[in-house]
Amino acid sequence: MSIYNKPISFTLLAAGTILVGTIAMVVVPMFMPSTQPHSDLQKAYSPIELAGRDVYQAEGCNNCHTQTIRPLKAEVARYGPYSKAWEFEYDRPFLWGSKRTGPDLARIGGKYSDKWHYRHFEDARKVVAGSNMPDYGFLANNMLDPDTVESHIKGIGFPYTSDDIKAVVGKTELDALVAYMQMLGMAIPRTPTSQMVAEGDKNPNTGSDAIAAGQKTFDLYCVGCHSLDMSADFDPDLVDVVWIGYSEDFEDWELFQVVARGTREGYERRAEGGMPPFGEMLGKDKIWNLVAYIRAQVSSKK
């Protein structure tokens, strides 16, 4: 008699086959070193970073932002190196997300200054024209509870010290969220930005049309940090001819470099850092127009 004529035997055989397959394909790989990638570059979350991650989840940020860059040319060009499996070793749970109402945040760490993030969370429109991100300034009124943070980090099993816990005393949920933003993607070495102009290059765009075009770009991308009249808001004043710690004028190519490559501490002259690079976003012609507009504004202030 065929097995197909023995329903009980067939059911038991089918169940046993599925069970063996599940163990072989799901359970065993969970304990294989090859499926548990590790890199010493990726560190466990500190207490304040973990608290920021909790805030990120509580506010539903993962509903609008992804944290994984697929190995697609367009995504790598926009966001940076594609995500590696070991980057998520300490993520419990994963916050990859599946919808990009806002940009992917996998490489957001170090891209902007802390001041930029605080301003962005308080009112995103002040630093990103047309942003539809809600305001989260109210998080500055919510103090972190060190005991809660400690119990959470114990539960997760991450290493910590008493000084780490003390560091969250007096901090707010907004402080924690900024700390979390600043660590995302920092384990991946950053590729140096290519130099778009040569040392000594002069601005080829110096006419009134270039100045007008530069103003449009400035109003769209720069006003949030440098204000409409270029006087210091929370980033350096652009019209007092004292840029990133230097009182002498910059040459055209140096101004171009600052806009294109951004600033970070110890990078090019003695920049304190905090300005994101705009080279890939704006391109060469728009940056030269910006330089022309800044020059025109400086001249008008003298």
Side-chain angles (χ1 to χ4, degrees), residues 187-244:
I188 296 290
R190 303 299 168 92
T191 305
T193 308
S194 59
Q195 187 158 322
M196 300 171 69
V197 293
E199 183 174 341
D201 277 1
K202 299 293 184 183
N203 188 358
N205 304 350
T206 56
S208 58
D209 290 345
I211 294 172
Q215 182 175 5
K216 289 182 180 178
T217 302
F218 186 89
D219 290 348
L220 190 60
Y221 297 105
C222 312
V223 164
C225 296
H226 295 289
S227 74
L228 274 172
D229 63 357
M230 296 190 183
S231 59
D233 188 357
F234 66 82
D235 272 338
D237 191 319
L238 296 183
V239 290
D240 65 353
V241 201
V242 181
W243 294 326
I244 54 178

Side-chain angles (χ1 to χ4, degrees), residues 25 45 61 131 144 196:
M25 300 302 293
Y45 293 105
C61 303
S131 174
L144 292 178
M196 300 171 69

Side-chain angles (χ1 to χ4, degrees), residues 103-157:
D104 186 279
L105 300 180
R107 302 282 176 260
I108 196 70
K111 186 175 182 179
Y112 303 100
S113 67
D114 287 352
K115 289 185 291 187
W116 186 94
H117 280 294
Y118 280 106
R119 175 65 63 86
H120 187 240
F121 283 124
E122 289 165 0
D123 185 352
R125 269 67 54 194
K126 289 186 176 179
V127 290
V128 180
S131 174
N132 61 353
M133 178 168 149
D135 298 338
Y136 290 93
F138 66 90
L139 294 174
N141 300 322
N142 301 338
M143 303 301 295
L144 292 178
D145 177 9
D147 292 336
T148 301
V149 174
E150 184 175 13
S151 63
H152 191 179
I153 202 165
K154 280 182 177 177
I156 296 289

Side-chain angles (χ1 to χ4, degrees), residues 9-182:
S9 299
F10 180 84
T11 301
L12 291 175
L13 182 61
T17 302
I18 293 172
L19 179 62
V20 171
T22 301
I23 292 173
M25 300 302 293
V26 177
V27 179
V28 173
M30 291 175 63
F31 298 96
M32 294 171 62
S34 60
T35 62
Q36 309 292 325
H38 168 78
S39 172
D40 291 337
L41 295 174
Q42 186 65 48
K43 307 298 182 186
Y45 293 105
S46 69
I48 193 167
E49 290 167 352
L50 186 64
R53 193 171 190 272
D54 291 342
V55 174
Y56 185 90
Q57 294 178 81
E59 296 301 327
C61 303
N62 52 306
N63 293 322
C64 293
H65 296 279
T66 56
Q67 285 188 27
T68 178
I69 302 171
R70 295 171 292 183
L72 303 175
K73 186 175 182 180
E75 294 205 11
V76 172
R78 179 176 181 183
Y79 297 118
Y82 63 84
S83 297
K84 313 296 187 296
W86 55 261
E87 289 186 73
F88 308 103
E89 179 179 358
Y90 299 104
D91 279 7
R92 299 164 191 170
F94 299 124
L95 296 177
W96 293 329
S98 59
K99 186 178 181 183
R100 286 178 179 164
T101 302
D104 186 279
L105 300 180
R107 302 282 176 260
I108 196 70
K111 186 175 182 179
Y112 303 100
S113 67
D114 287 352
K115 289 185 291 187
W116 186 94
H117 280 294
Y118 280 106
R119 175 65 63 86
H120 187 240
F121 283 124
E122 289 165 0
D123 185 352
R125 269 67 54 194
K126 289 186 176 179
V127 290
V128 180
S131 174
N132 61 353
M133 178 168 149
D135 298 338
Y136 290 93
F138 66 90
L139 294 174
N141 300 322
N142 301 338
M143 303 301 295
L144 292 178
D145 177 9
D147 292 336
T148 301
V149 174
E150 184 175 13
S151 63
H152 191 179
I153 202 165
K154 280 182 177 177
I156 296 289
F158 291 164
Y160 73 97
T161 66
S162 58
D163 288 339
D164 292 335
I165 298 300
K166 290 178 182 176
V168 306
V169 175
K171 299 293 185 182
T172 68
E173 290 185 347
L174 186 57
D175 296 327
L177 190 55
V178 171
Y180 176 58
M181 288 293 102
Q182 292 291 36

Side-chain angles (χ1 to χ4, degrees), residues 8 12 36 53 149 155 192 251 275 280-281:
I8 295 178
L12 291 175
Q36 309 292 325
R53 193 171 190 272
V149 174
E251 295 183 33
M275 177 171 163
E280 293 181 359
M281 178 188 294

